[in-house]
Amino acid sequence: MIYFNCDYNEGAHEKIMERLLQTNMEQTAGYGCDEYCEKAGKLILEKCRRADAAVHFLVGGTQTNATVIAAALRTHQGVLAAQTAHINAHETGAIEACGHKVLVLPSENGKLTAEQVEASYQAHIADDSFEHIVQPKMVYISQPTELGTLYTLKELTAISAVCRKYGLFLFVDGARLGYGLTAEGNDVTLPDLAELSDVFYIGGTKVGALFGEAVVITNPALQQDFRYVIKQHGGMLAKGRLLGIQFMTLFENDLYTEISRHANVLAEQIREVLSQKQVPFLVKSHTNQIFPILPDDVLAKLQEKYCYTWQERIDEKHSAVRFCTSWATKKAAVDELCGDLQELL
Amino acid sequence: MIYFNCDYNEGAHEKIMERLLQTNMEQTAGYGCDEYCEKAGKLILEKCRRADAAVHFLVGGTQTNATVIAAALRTHQGVLAAQTAHINAHETGAIEACGHKVLVLPSENGKLTAEQVEASYQAHIADDSFEHIVQPKMVYISQPTELGTLYTLKELTAISAVCRKYGLFLFVDGARLGYGLTAEGNDVTLPDLAELSDVFYIGGTKVGALFGEAVVITNPALQQDFRYVIKQHGGMLAKGRLLGIQFMTLFENDLYTEISRHANVLAEQIREVLSQKQVPFLVKSHTNQIFPILPDDVLAKLQEKYCYTWQERIDEKHSAVRFCTSWATKKAAVDELCGDLQELL
Amino acid sequence: MIYFNCDYNEGAHEKIMERLLQTNMEQTAGYGCDEYCEKAGKLILEKCRRADAAVHFLVGGTQTNATVIAAALRTHQGVLAAQTAHINAHETGAIEACGHKVLVLPSENGKLTAEQVEASYQAHIADDSFEHIVQPKMVYISQPTELGTLYTLKELTAISAVCRKYGLFLFVDGARLGYGLTAEGNDVTLPDLAELSDVFYIGGTKVGALFGEAVVITNPALQQDFRYVIKQHGGMLAKGRLLGIQFMTLFENDLYTEISRHANVLAEQIREVLSQKQVPFLVKSHTNQIFPILPDDVLAKLQEKYCYTWQERIDEKHSAVRFCTSWATKKAAVDELCGDLQELL
Amino acid sequence: MIYFNCDYNEGAHEKIMERLLQTNMEQTAGYGCDEYCEKAGKLILEKCRRADAAVHFLVGGTQTNATVIAAALRTHQGVLAAQTAHINAHETGAIEACGHKVLVLPSENGKLTAEQVEASYQAHIADDSFEHIVQPKMVYISQPTELGTLYTLKELTAISAVCRKYGLFLFVDGARLGYGLTAEGNDVTLPDLAELSDVFYIGGTKVGALFGEAVVITNPALQQDFRYVIKQHGGMLAKGRLLGIQFMTLFENDLYTEISRHANVLAEQIREVLSQKQVPFLVKSHTNQIFPILPDDVLAKLQEKYCYTWQERIDEKHSAVRFCTSWATKKAAVDELCGDLQELL
C-alpha cells in the first residue's frame, strides 16, 4: 500500500534524525530552556526579520491552537473561524474545552475574507443585546487552509487591517506553512506573516519533523506569561531540546524550504495528469493537498494500491477525495500513481 | 411608551406577590429544602403524571441551560441545537464556558427535525476521524422556539425516538412553555414532555413569576447529584423558598395555564389585524411572539409610542420585528396598538 | 422551632416588600438597564465616595464570586484565599469550574495577613519552576470573614499595599458586609473598601433583601466588559430592576446600616450571657455570628427548641456551634434564648 | 557541569534510537492506530496480566494527568491528592483548568494513607452542606511519589479497598514507575497495580524514552471514549507510532526493568556515602531520587561542578536538596560525585 492519505506517515527528515542521534546523550536543561531551543528561535526570528518576537516550541497542532487561544482570550471572548477550520472541525472541541466559542463563518474554499470579519464585528457591536453574545476578539485562519488554498498577500493584508481597526488578534495556523511558502503563485513570506499577524506558527509535524510547531508571537500583549499557559495545557515537553534540535535543523541551510518545495513539485505532477484528463477539483490549490473529484469506479481501483482520504460525495457516481504529498514522498511513488491515473481515467 | 418588546417587563402576578408577602417573615430552611419547594414540586409532578421525576428550581434560563448541560455531558460531548437556539445565540457562550461545544444545525423556523438529528449522529459515527470531532450526546430544543413556533406531538415523538435510538439526551427549554401549552393548535402536553424528553423546564420568569425555572428530570441518570451542579453554577438560591412559593402559586388552580392563555388571546388579536392588512410574517406561530414584516415608515411611527424588538432587515423598505404579549399585557394596550395598526397600514 | 442557624431564614425587610409591590406592574427595561438599578448604583457610589466606580447587581454570592474571578484572571492565574474562605470551602468548586485554582493559605480566624500574601508571592517568583505553578494574581478576603471576624483598617491597608506592590487584585467578599460595617470596634468604612480594594461587594441576601449582591468595581481594568461575564455566568437577572429596587431601598435613609446594627446588638446580648457564664468562643468577633464552645448536654437541650449550626468537635464533651442573628431576628427570640442559656449553663 | 538535577537530561536509550532510525521512513497510520502501538500495548498488558485492559500512549505527564482526570470526573467532582502531588504543585493548575478541584491532604512523605482517604470521604458525606462542597470521586497517588517514596503492597491494597468501598476511582501516576518497580524493598508489581487501581500509567519520559507515558485503564467505565479526550487535550500525537516504537523497545527483553535498576544502583551508591558521613535525609527512599540535608558551604562547593535541585531550607546553615540518577547516569559521574562528597563532608 502506498500512502497519499496525509503528510505525517513517515518519521523525520534524515538530517533531523542524524542530529537527534548526535546529541542524544548530551545533558541539557529541560522544558525548552536549552541552547538548541535558543538557537532555533534565533534562526526563525532572523527568517521573520523580527528580533523582538518570541518563539515557543510545542508538540502538536491542536495543543498549539488551544494554548494560543486560551492565552489570548478572556472568558467571554470567542474566535472567528471558517467552518472548515481545524479548530472548528477536527479538534474534539479543544477550544470549547478551554471555555471559548468558535464563531463559525461560512466558507467555500477554506478562507475567510476581510469583509466577513468586518461584518461579523459590526453585527456584534450593532446588536442591542451584544452583551448576551460572545464577543469576537480573535480571527483564526490557516495558511495554507485545510483545503490547501492560500491567502494572497493582499487578502492577508486586508484581514490584518480589519483586525487592527477593531482590536482583534490575528492568529495564523501554519501547520502546513512550508507547503504554502513554497507554492507556485504564493506571495506571502515569513516576514509578511510576522508583520501582519499577532501570532502564527510554523508547522514541523507535517514538514519534516517527528513532531513540533514553532509559535512566533509578535504582539507583546500575547507574549506575557505564555510559558505558564504552555505548561497548563500539557505542551511543555520535558526534553524540550528535541524541539529545538529539530527546528534548528529545519532552519539551517533552508532545509524547511527545500523539502516543502519537493512536496509541491510532486503534487503539481499529479495535478497535471488529472487536469489533462479534465478531472474537476473540489478546490484549486498549489500546495501539497490535491482534491480531485473522481468517478467511484476509478476510486475503487485506486484504493487497492493507494491510501487516500475520502472527502465528500459529489453525486451518485463521483466523490471528492484528498491526495497528499509531503517532504517524504518518493518520486517513484508519484510516477506510479500518475501512470495508474493515466490508465484508469 | 407601551412595551411589547418582551415578556418580562413587569414584576409578578398579583397572587404571587400576595403569597410572598404572606410568607415573608416565616422562617424556613434554605437552598430549596423547604416545604414550599416540596409542595410546588409535587404539584408539578402531578401535572406531568410522573411521580418518579425530580424537580429543581433555578433562577433564570441561561443558568438553567448551563447547569443541565454541564450535569449531563462528559468533557468530549456536545449538544445539537438550532442556529437560533438560545444556547447558541444569546447566552454569551455559557455552554462553551462549561467546556461543551454547541453543534449547530440550520433552521428556518427555530425547529430541528428528527431527520437532522439522525443525520448528524450518523455523520459523526461514519466519519473515520470521529474521535477528532465532538461527540453529539444531547439534543436541545425549545418549546415554543425562540421564533414562537411549536413542535407538534408527532415531531416531538420523532425526535425523541431518534434520541433514544442513539442514546442522546433530549433536553427541552421551556422558558415560554406556558405560551406553548395554551397556544391554538398545540397538541403537546406536560405529560407528553415528561414522557418524551429526558429533562425539560417550565419557565416562570416569562410567565407570571418574578423569576424562576422549574426543571423536571425524568431520566434517572441525570437526576444523580444534580444539586451539586446547581450550587457550582451559582443557581442555588439561599432563600430557595421564593421559588417554591412562586411555582406553588402558579400551579395551584391552574394559574399558569390561565395567564398563559391570556397572552396568547391578545397575541391573536394583534395577528388578526396584521393578517387582515395582508402583512406577511417572518414565521407563523400561535404563541405570544409575533414576527410581522412591516414597512419602515410604519415602524418609524409605531416606535414613537410602542417599544418592540427589531429582528432583521428584509429588504430596503421592510424589516421583521417582534411584538410580545405576556401574562401582564393589558387588553387596553392591545386595543390601542390594533387601532394604530389599522390606521397606519 | 426558633432559627438561629443562618441569616437568610426570612424573606425581605418590609420596606423592600412594599417597594416591590408598588412597582410591580411598572414596565421597565430588562437586565439591569432600568432606572432603579441606575439610582441604586448612584446611591451606593455616593456612600463609597467613588463616582468613577462601576456598580453591578447579581443574585447570589457564589455566582458573584465566580463572575468576578472569571472576569479578572487569565487562564494560568489563581486566587489566594484562606482555608476557610467561602470560595474554597462552600461553593462546590465554582472557581475551579471556571478554570482557576484557589491557592489556599492557612488561617485560624478566617483572616489572611499581609505577610502571608507577600510570602506567597515571593515564594512563587523565587521558585525556579515558577512557570509550572499557578500564578497568584488575586487575593480574596471576606469582610466579615466566614468566622465573623473583621479586618481592621490597618490590616486591610497592609494587604492592599502588598497587592499593589505586586500587581495583585484585591477582592473583598462582603456577603455580610452590613454586619461588619456596624460592628463594635469596626474601623473600616465603605470609602475605605472602595479605596483599598479593586472590587468588592455589598451583600443583600443576608442583610434585608430577598436576594442580591451589589458589586463595586473601582479598578478600571476590571470594569471592562463585566456585563458579558455576568451574562455568561447566568447572573444577569431578566427582571433586573428587582435588584435595583431592593438596593435603592436599602441605601435610602441608611436602612442597610440600621438593620445591620439591629442584628449586631442582638448578637452582643447573646455573647454577654455566654461570657458571663465563662463560655469560651472558637473565635472572638463582634458581628452577627457567634461561635461558642458548649457542652454537648447543653446543646442537646437547646436543639429541642432552637436551630443552630454545628461547627466542629472540640473535645469529647464539647462542640463549637454557630448562632446567627440577622436583620430579621426578633428581640423576643433572643430574650428567650438568653433566658434558656442562663438556666442551662 | 555534571547534571544530577533530574531524570530527563538526556535523549533516549540507544536501542530506542536505533529502532526509531530503522523505522523512520516506514509509512504507517497516524494517531496511534499503527502496528507498533498495538504491539507495545500487548506487551504491556502481558506484563500486567490483564488482557482486558486498554492501553493508550500519551506524550507527557501533565497532559496524561489532565486527560485521565477530565475523562473520569463529572463537573462537580474532585480528586484527592497529597499536598506534594504533581497535579497539585507542578502543573500550573492543569486540573483546575479542566474544571476540577484538587482536594489536598497533608503528607510528610508524599504518600496518602487509606485512613486519610476514608476520613475525607466520611467527612464529605457527614457534612450537612455536602452539596456545597466538591464531591471526592478519585484518589490520585504517585508510585514512586514526588519524594521518591514507595507505597507498600499492603498500603496500596488498603487504599484500593477504601476506594472500592466508596466508589472512588484510584489513579496511580507512574511517571517514574520503573524506578519504583526495581527499588530495593519494593513489593508492588505491575499486576498489582493493574489489579488495585482503576487506571495507572507507566512513565517513559523519565525512564529511557524521548518522551511518552503508557496509560493502562482497567476499569471499563473509564475506557469508553478515552481517545476523544486524548484528542481534546492535545495529546494525540500525529505520528503516534513514535510512542509505540519506544514502548515496544522498552518492554521487549525487559529493557525497562534493566535500565531502571541501573539508576537505583547508582542512587544507592550515593546514599551510602552520605549515610556513612551521617548526613540526614529529608525522606528515606530507595528509588532514584535522593534528598540529603547538607551544609550550605558544602552545597556551595558542589554546585561549581554538579547541577542538582534545591528543595527546601532546613535551618540557617542547612538545606535539603535533590540528586537524581537515571537510566542514563554514568557510573564515572557517580564515582566522581561520591569522591567529592567523601572529601567535602
Side-chain angles (χ1 to χ4, degrees):
Chain A
M1 184 67 61
I2 303 175
Y3 285 77
F4 285 101
N5 64 317
C6 70
D7 30 24
Y8 39 90
N9 289 124
E10 293 87 357
H13 190 274
E14 61 183 346
K15 289 193 182 161
I16 284 179
M17 295 307 288
E18 274 167 34
R19 282 290 183 88
L20 290 175
L21 263 188
Q22 280 165 13
T23 58
N24 188 48
M25 292 307 287
E26 288 181 15
Q27 292 193 313
T28 62
Y31 303 117
C33 298
D34 61 280
E35 291 170 22
Y36 295 109
C37 284
E38 199 190 337
K39 190 162 179 194
K42 277 189 187 160
L43 281 170
I44 286 172
L45 291 186
E46 278 168 25
K47 299 278 180 199
C48 296
R49 293 187 213 139
R50 280 294 293 259
D52 63 319
V55 178
H56 297 278
F57 300 104
L58 284 94
V59 172
T62 295
Q63 186 181 87
T64 303
N65 289 332
T67 302
V68 167
I69 292 169
L73 299 187
R74 289 179 63 200
T75 184
H76 62 295
Q77 298 174 333
V79 51
L80 291 162
Q83 193 151 5
T84 48
H86 206 258
I87 56 167
N88 184 50
H90 284 101
E91 303 191 352
T92 323
I95 307 310
E96 290 83 2
C98 301
H100 302 290
K101 193 176 185 80
V102 179
L103 302 162
V104 179
L105 296 173
S107 173
E108 290 291 306
N109 59 3
K111 291 159 66 175
L112 295 182
T113 66
E115 290 70 27
Q116 279 181 300
V117 173
E118 177 136 31
S120 295
Y121 185 84
Q122 287 293 352
H124 179 72
I125 58 171
D127 196 312
D128 278 346
S129 58
F130 65 99
E131 293 161 332
H132 298 232
I133 301 171
V134 173
Q135 186 185 64
K137 183 66 185 171
M138 180 178 255
V139 173
Y140 166 98
I141 59 175
S142 309
Q143 175 80 336
T145 68
E146 295 74 9
L147 293 175
T149 52
L150 284 170
Y151 289 88
T152 64
L153 182 56
K154 193 176 161 192
E155 290 167 339
L156 194 65
T157 304
I159 290 177
S160 178
V162 170
C163 287
R164 284 177 189 175
K165 184 170 171 191
Y166 299 122
L168 307 174
F169 299 121
L170 179 57
F171 172 30
V172 182
D173 174 336
R176 291 190 171 94
L177 190 56
Y179 304 126
L181 292 171
T182 59
E184 193 186 313
N186 171 61
D187 63 353
V188 176
T189 65
L190 279 176
D192 292 334
L193 284 166
E195 180 63 28
L196 296 170
S197 74
D198 296 278
V199 50
F200 73 100
Y201 65 97
I202 302 170
T205 301
K206 292 169 178 165
V207 193
L210 289 173
F211 54 85
E213 318 293 316
V215 181
V216 180
I217 311 181
T218 52
N219 185 332
L222 300 185
Q223 291 174 4
Q224 195 184 0
D225 292 345
F226 194 73
R227 279 173 55 85
Y228 283 92
V229 188
I230 295 177
K231 177 62 187 169
Q232 185 180 69
H233 280 74
M236 195 176 276
L237 195 65
K239 302 180 183 180
R241 100 261 192 97
L242 299 175
L243 293 160
I245 292 164
Q246 293 187 87
F247 275 96
M248 190 183 75
T249 309
L250 287 171
F251 279 85
E252 281 173 353
N253 308 317
D254 265 339
L255 180 62
Y256 192 73
T257 303
E258 179 189 323
I259 64 177
S260 296
R261 187 169 290 130
H262 167 85
N264 285 339
V265 167
L266 294 180
E268 286 298 320
Q269 184 181 337
I270 300 169
R271 252 185 225 105
E272 269 169 44
V273 172
L274 293 164
S275 296
Q276 283 164 15
K277 295 286 186 176
Q278 320 294 338
V279 169
F281 295 90
L282 189 65
V283 284
K284 294 229 165 162
S285 75
H286 291 286
T287 61
N288 73 317
Q289 299 182 80
I290 314 157
F291 296 90
I293 295 169
L294 290 167
D296 293 337
D297 55 351
V298 172
L299 288 170
K301 287 209 182 122
L302 283 172
Q303 74 188 10
E304 291 167 14
K305 194 162 157 191
Y306 303 99
C307 183
Y308 54 82
T309 311
W310 190 82
Q311 191 74 14
E312 66 176 83
R313 176 145 294 284
I314 299 301
D315 61 34
E316 279 183 26
K317 296 192 174 170
H318 294 79
S319 294
V321 296
R322 184 183 77 163
F323 285 86
C324 274
T325 60
S326 82
W327 62 275
T329 304
K330 296 201 166 64
K331 179 79 166 78
V334 171
D335 289 343
E336 193 164 340
L337 174 63
C338 288
D340 287 337
L341 286 171
Q342 292 277 16
E343 204 164 303
L344 288 166
L345 290 167
Chain B
M1 186 68 60
I2 304 174
Y3 285 77
F4 285 102
N5 64 318
C6 71
D7 30 22
Y8 39 91
N9 290 123
E10 293 87 357
H13 191 275
E14 60 183 348
K15 288 190 183 164
I16 284 178
M17 295 308 289
E18 273 167 33
R19 281 290 183 89
L20 290 175
L21 263 188
Q22 280 166 14
T23 59
N24 188 49
M25 292 306 288
E26 288 180 14
Q27 293 192 312
T28 62
Y31 303 117
C33 299
D34 61 279
E35 292 171 20
Y36 295 108
C37 285
E38 198 189 339
K39 192 163 177 192
K42 278 189 185 160
L43 280 170
I44 286 171
L45 291 185
E46 279 168 25
K47 300 280 180 196
C48 297
R49 291 185 213 137
R50 280 294 294 260
D52 63 319
V55 178
H56 297 276
F57 300 104
L58 285 94
V59 172
T62 295
Q63 185 181 87
T64 304
N65 288 333
T67 302
V68 168
I69 292 169
L73 299 187
R74 288 180 62 200
T75 185
H76 61 295
Q77 298 174 333
V79 51
L80 291 162
Q83 193 150 5
T84 48
H86 205 260
I87 56 167
N88 184 50
H90 284 101
E91 302 190 353
T92 323
I95 307 311
E96 290 84 1
C98 301
H100 301 291
K101 194 176 184 78
V102 178
L103 302 162
V104 179
L105 296 173
S107 173
E108 290 290 304
N109 60 3
K111 291 159 67 176
L112 295 181
T113 66
E115 289 72 26
Q116 279 182 299
V117 173
E118 178 137 32
S120 296
Y121 185 83
Q122 287 292 354
H124 178 72
I125 58 172
D127 196 312
D128 277 347
S129 58
F130 65 98
E131 293 161 332
H132 298 232
I133 301 172
V134 173
Q135 186 184 64
K137 184 64 184 174
M138 181 179 255
V139 173
Y140 165 99
I141 60 174
S142 309
Q143 174 83 336
T145 68
E146 294 75 8
L147 292 175
T149 52
L150 284 170
Y151 289 88
T152 64
L153 182 56
K154 192 177 161 191
E155 290 168 340
L156 194 66
T157 303
I159 291 177
S160 178
V162 171
C163 287
R164 283 175 190 176
K165 186 171 170 190
Y166 298 123
L168 307 175
F169 299 121
L170 178 57
F171 172 28
V172 183
D173 174 337
R176 292 190 171 93
L177 189 56
Y179 304 127
L181 292 171
T182 59
E184 194 188 311
N186 171 63
D187 63 352
V188 175
T189 64
L190 279 175
D192 292 332
L193 284 165
E195 180 63 29
L196 296 171
S197 74
D198 296 278
V199 50
F200 73 98
Y201 65 96
I202 303 170
T205 302
K206 291 168 177 165
V207 193
L210 288 174
F211 54 86
E213 318 292 316
V215 181
V216 180
I217 312 180
T218 52
N219 185 330
L222 300 185
Q223 291 175 5
Q224 195 184 0
D225 292 345
F226 194 74
R227 279 174 55 84
Y228 283 92
V229 188
I230 295 177
K231 177 63 187 168
Q232 186 181 69
H233 280 74
M236 196 176 275
L237 195 66
K239 301 179 184 180
R241 100 264 192 95
L242 299 175
L243 293 159
I245 293 164
Q246 292 185 87
F247 276 96
M248 188 182 77
T249 309
L250 287 171
F251 280 84
E252 280 173 354
N253 308 315
D254 266 338
L255 180 62
Y256 192 73
T257 302
E258 180 192 321
I259 64 177
S260 297
R261 186 169 289 127
H262 166 85
N264 286 339
V265 167
L266 294 180
E268 287 298 320
Q269 185 181 337
I270 300 169
R271 250 184 226 106
E272 270 170 44
V273 172
L274 293 164
S275 297
Q276 283 165 13
K277 295 288 185 174
Q278 320 294 340
V279 169
F281 294 90
L282 189 65
V283 285
K284 293 228 165 162
S285 75
H286 291 288
T287 61
N288 72 316
Q289 299 181 79
I290 314 157
F291 296 90
I293 295 170
L294 289 167
D296 293 337
D297 55 349
V298 171
L299 288 170
K301 287 209 181 121
L302 283 172
Q303 75 188 10
E304 291 167 13
K305 195 162 157 191
Y306 303 99
C307 183
Y308 53 82
T309 311
W310 190 83
Q311 192 75 12
E312 67 176 82
R313 175 146 295 284
I314 299 301
D315 61 33
E316 279 183 26
K317 296 191 174 172
H318 295 79
S319 294
V321 295
R322 183 183 77 163
F323 286 85
C324 274
T325 59
S326 82
W327 62 275
T329 305
K330 295 202 168 63
K331 178 77 168 77
V334 171
D335 288 343
E336 194 165 338
L337 174 62
C338 289
D340 287 337
L341 285 170
Q342 293 276 14
E343 205 165 302
L344 288 166
L345 290 168
Chain C
M1 186 66 61
I2 304 174
Y3 285 78
F4 285 101
N5 63 317
C6 71
D7 30 23
Y8 40 89
N9 291 123
E10 293 87 358
H13 190 274
E14 59 183 348
K15 288 191 184 162
I16 284 178
M17 295 307 288
E18 274 167 33
R19 281 290 183 88
L20 290 175
L21 263 188
Q22 280 165 14
T23 58
N24 189 51
M25 292 306 288
E26 288 179 16
Q27 292 193 312
T28 62
Y31 302 117
C33 298
D34 61 280
E35 291 171 22
Y36 295 109
C37 284
E38 197 189 339
K39 191 163 178 192
K42 278 189 185 160
L43 280 169
I44 286 171
L45 291 185
E46 278 169 26
K47 299 279 180 197
C48 295
R49 292 185 214 139
R50 281 294 293 261
D52 63 318
V55 178
H56 296 277
F57 300 103
L58 285 94
V59 172
T62 295
Q63 184 181 88
T64 304
N65 289 331
T67 303
V68 168
I69 291 170
L73 299 185
R74 288 180 61 200
T75 184
H76 62 296
Q77 299 175 331
V79 51
L80 291 162
Q83 192 150 8
T84 48
H86 205 259
I87 56 167
N88 185 50
H90 284 100
E91 303 190 351
T92 322
I95 307 310
E96 290 83 1
C98 301
H100 302 289
K101 194 177 184 79
V102 179
L103 302 162
V104 178
L105 296 172
S107 173
E108 290 291 305
N109 61 3
K111 291 160 66 176
L112 295 181
T113 66
E115 289 71 28
Q116 280 181 300
V117 173
E118 177 136 33
S120 296
Y121 184 84
Q122 287 293 352
H124 179 72
I125 58 172
D127 196 313
D128 278 348
S129 58
F130 66 99
E131 292 161 332
H132 298 231
I133 301 171
V134 173
Q135 185 185 65
K137 183 64 184 174
M138 181 178 255
V139 173
Y140 166 97
I141 60 175
S142 309
Q143 175 81 336
T145 69
E146 294 74 9
L147 293 174
T149 52
L150 284 170
Y151 289 88
T152 64
L153 183 56
K154 195 178 159 190
E155 291 168 339
L156 193 66
T157 304
I159 291 176
S160 178
V162 170
C163 287
R164 283 175 189 176
K165 187 171 168 189
Y166 298 123
L168 307 174
F169 299 120
L170 179 57
F171 171 29
V172 183
D173 174 336
R176 290 188 173 95
L177 190 55
Y179 304 127
L181 292 171
T182 60
E184 195 187 311
N186 171 62
D187 64 352
V188 175
T189 64
L190 279 175
D192 292 334
L193 284 165
E195 181 62 29
L196 296 170
S197 74
D198 296 279
V199 50
F200 73 99
Y201 64 97
I202 302 169
T205 302
K206 291 168 178 166
V207 193
L210 288 174
F211 54 84
E213 319 292 316
V215 182
V216 180
I217 312 181
T218 52
N219 185 332
L222 300 184
Q223 291 174 4
Q224 195 184 0
D225 291 345
F226 194 75
R227 280 173 55 85
Y228 282 93
V229 188
I230 295 176
K231 178 62 188 170
Q232 185 180 68
H233 279 73
M236 196 176 276
L237 195 65
K239 302 180 182 178
R241 100 263 193 96
L242 299 175
L243 293 159
I245 292 164
Q246 292 186 89
F247 275 96
M248 188 182 76
T249 309
L250 287 171
F251 279 85
E252 280 174 352
N253 308 314
D254 265 339
L255 179 63
Y256 192 73
T257 302
E258 180 190 321
I259 64 177
S260 297
R261 187 170 287 130
H262 166 85
N264 285 341
V265 167
L266 295 179
E268 285 300 318
Q269 185 181 336
I270 300 169
R271 250 184 226 107
E272 269 170 46
V273 172
L274 293 164
S275 296
Q276 282 165 15
K277 295 288 187 175
Q278 319 294 338
V279 169
F281 295 91
L282 188 65
V283 285
K284 294 229 165 160
S285 75
H286 291 288
T287 60
N288 73 316
Q289 298 181 80
I290 314 157
F291 295 90
I293 295 169
L294 289 168
D296 293 339
D297 56 350
V298 171
L299 288 170
K301 287 210 181 120
L302 282 173
Q303 74 188 13
E304 292 167 13
K305 196 164 156 189
Y306 303 99
C307 183
Y308 53 82
T309 311
W310 191 83
Q311 192 75 14
E312 66 175 82
R313 176 147 295 285
I314 300 300
D315 61 34
E316 280 183 24
K317 295 190 174 171
H318 294 80
S319 294
V321 295
R322 184 183 78 163
F323 286 87
C324 275
T325 59
S326 81
W327 63 275
T329 305
K330 295 202 166 64
K331 178 77 167 75
V334 172
D335 288 344
E336 195 166 339
L337 173 63
C338 288
D340 287 337
L341 286 170
Q342 291 278 12
E343 205 164 303
L344 289 166
L345 290 167
Chain D
M1 186 66 60
I2 304 174
Y3 285 77
F4 285 102
N5 63 318
C6 71
D7 31 22
Y8 39 90
N9 290 123
E10 293 87 357
H13 190 275
E14 59 182 347
K15 289 192 182 161
I16 284 178
M17 294 308 289
E18 274 167 33
R19 281 290 183 89
L20 290 176
L21 263 188
Q22 281 166 13
T23 58
N24 188 49
M25 292 305 289
E26 288 181 14
Q27 293 194 313
T28 63
Y31 303 117
C33 297
D34 61 279
E35 291 170 22
Y36 295 107
C37 284
E38 197 189 340
K39 190 162 178 195
K42 277 189 187 161
L43 280 169
I44 286 171
L45 291 185
E46 278 168 25
K47 299 279 180 197
C48 296
R49 292 185 212 138
R50 281 293 294 261
D52 63 319
V55 178
H56 297 276
F57 300 103
L58 285 93
V59 172
T62 296
Q63 185 181 87
T64 304
N65 289 332
T67 302
V68 168
I69 293 169
L73 300 186
R74 287 180 62 199
T75 184
H76 62 295
Q77 298 174 332
V79 52
L80 291 162
Q83 192 150 6
T84 48
H86 205 260
I87 57 166
N88 185 49
H90 285 101
E91 302 190 352
T92 322
I95 308 309
E96 290 83 3
C98 301
H100 302 290
K101 193 176 185 79
V102 179
L103 301 162
V104 179
L105 296 173
S107 173
E108 289 292 303
N109 60 3
K111 291 160 67 177
L112 294 182
T113 66
E115 290 70 27
Q116 280 181 300
V117 173
E118 176 136 32
S120 294
Y121 184 84
Q122 287 292 353
H124 179 72
I125 59 171
D127 196 312
D128 278 348
S129 58
F130 66 98
E131 292 161 333
H132 298 233
I133 301 171
V134 173
Q135 185 185 65
K137 183 65 185 173
M138 181 179 255
V139 173
Y140 166 98
I141 59 175
S142 309
Q143 175 82 334
T145 70
E146 294 75 9
L147 293 174
T149 52
L150 284 169
Y151 290 87
T152 64
L153 182 56
K154 192 177 161 191
E155 291 168 339
L156 194 65
T157 303
I159 290 177
S160 178
V162 171
C163 286
R164 283 174 189 177
K165 186 171 169 190
Y166 298 122
L168 306 174
F169 299 122
L170 179 56
F171 171 30
V172 183
D173 174 336
R176 291 188 172 95
L177 190 55
Y179 305 126
L181 292 171
T182 59
E184 193 186 314
N186 170 62
D187 64 351
V188 176
T189 64
L190 280 175
D192 292 334
L193 284 165
E195 180 63 29
L196 297 170
S197 73
D198 296 279
V199 51
F200 73 99
Y201 64 97
I202 302 170
T205 302
K206 291 168 178 166
V207 193
L210 289 174
F211 54 85
E213 318 294 315
V215 182
V216 180
I217 312 180
T218 51
N219 186 331
L222 300 185
Q223 291 175 4
Q224 196 184 0
D225 292 344
F226 194 74
R227 280 173 55 85
Y228 283 93
V229 188
I230 295 177
K231 177 62 187 168
Q232 185 181 69
H233 279 74
M236 195 175 276
L237 195 65
K239 302 179 183 180
R241 100 263 192 96
L242 299 175
L243 293 160
I245 293 164
Q246 293 186 88
F247 275 96
M248 189 183 77
T249 309
L250 287 170
F251 279 85
E252 279 173 353
N253 309 317
D254 266 339
L255 180 63
Y256 192 72
T257 302
E258 179 191 322
I259 64 177
S260 297
R261 187 170 288 128
H262 166 84
N264 285 340
V265 168
L266 295 179
E268 285 298 320
Q269 185 181 336
I270 300 170
R271 250 183 226 107
E272 269 170 46
V273 173
L274 292 164
S275 295
Q276 282 164 15
K277 295 288 186 175
Q278 319 294 340
V279 169
F281 295 90
L282 189 66
V283 285
K284 295 227 165 162
S285 74
H286 291 288
T287 60
N288 73 317
Q289 299 181 80
I290 314 157
F291 296 90
I293 294 169
L294 290 167
D296 293 338
D297 55 350
V298 172
L299 288 170
K301 288 212 181 119
L302 283 172
Q303 73 188 10
E304 291 165 15
K305 195 161 155 190
Y306 303 100
C307 183
Y308 53 82
T309 310
W310 190 83
Q311 191 75 13
E312 67 177 81
R313 176 146 294 284
I314 299 301
D315 61 32
E316 279 182 25
K317 295 190 175 172
H318 295 79
S319 294
V321 296
R322 184 184 77 163
F323 286 86
C324 274
T325 59
S326 82
W327 62 275
T329 305
K330 297 203 165 64
K331 178 78 168 77
V334 171
D335 289 342
E336 193 165 340
L337 173 63
C338 287
D340 287 336
L341 286 170
Q342 291 277 15
E343 203 164 304
L344 287 166
L345 289 167

